[in-house]
Amino acid sequence: MTPPSDAQITIIAETYRLLGDPTRLRVLLACLPAPIAVGDIAKAVNASPSLVSHHLRLLRAARLVRGTRRNRQVFYEAADDHITHMLADMIEHAMEDGSKDSDT
C-alpha cells in the first residue's frame, strides 16, 4: 500500500474526528441501510431534527453522506461503499472478543 500524502492524512484524521461524536456516528449509521429523511433519522437516534441537520451538514462537508431531494424532503445515505465498508469493519472490530489479544 502506498503511504498517504500529508493532505490525505489530514482528511483521514478529520474523518475520524467527526466520527468521534457518538450522536454523529449514530446519524451516519442510520443512513447506511437505505436513504432516510431527517425526521426518521432523528427518531432513530433519539435527537431533535435540528441537531440531526447540524450533524448532517458536517457529514456532507466531509463527503461521508449525500442527500437526494424527493419532493420537499431530502433523503440521506452513505456517500459511497467505502464509508459503508469502513463502518462495517469498525463494528465487527468492536464486537470481537478482546480477551484473546492479551500480551501475557
Side-chain angles (χ1 to χ4, degrees):
M1 176 181 354
T2 304
S5 68
D6 288 344
Q8 291 165 329
I9 290 287
T10 299
I11 291 168
I12 294 166
E14 178 64 16
T15 298
Y16 280 106
R17 187 190 67 74
L18 281 169
L19 297 179
D21 180 280
T23 301
R24 194 172 301 127
L25 181 56
R26 285 184 184 97
V27 168
L28 181 55
L29 289 170
C31 297
L32 294 185
I36 185 170
V38 173
D40 294 328
I41 296 170
K43 289 176 192 169
V45 303
N46 196 28
S48 70
S50 62
L51 179 61
V52 168
S53 292
H54 168 73
H55 286 305
L56 286 167
R57 277 191 297 278
L58 296 172
L59 293 168
R60 279 184 79 164
R63 299 180 308 134
L64 298 175
V65 298
R66 66 176 172 229
T68 304
R69 184 168 295 283
R70 293 185 199 159
N71 299 320
R72 293 173 40 132
Q73 285 190 312
V74 177
F75 288 79
Y76 291 90
E77 61 187 324
D80 58 41
D81 287 340
H82 296 112
I83 303 307
T84 303
H85 293 298
M86 175 188 69
L87 290 171
D89 287 346
M90 291 305 294
I91 290 167
E92 186 176 325
H93 176 73
M95 295 173 93
E96 287 178 352
D97 180 9
S99 65
K100 61 184 172 188
D101 292 335
S102 176
D103 287 340
T104 56

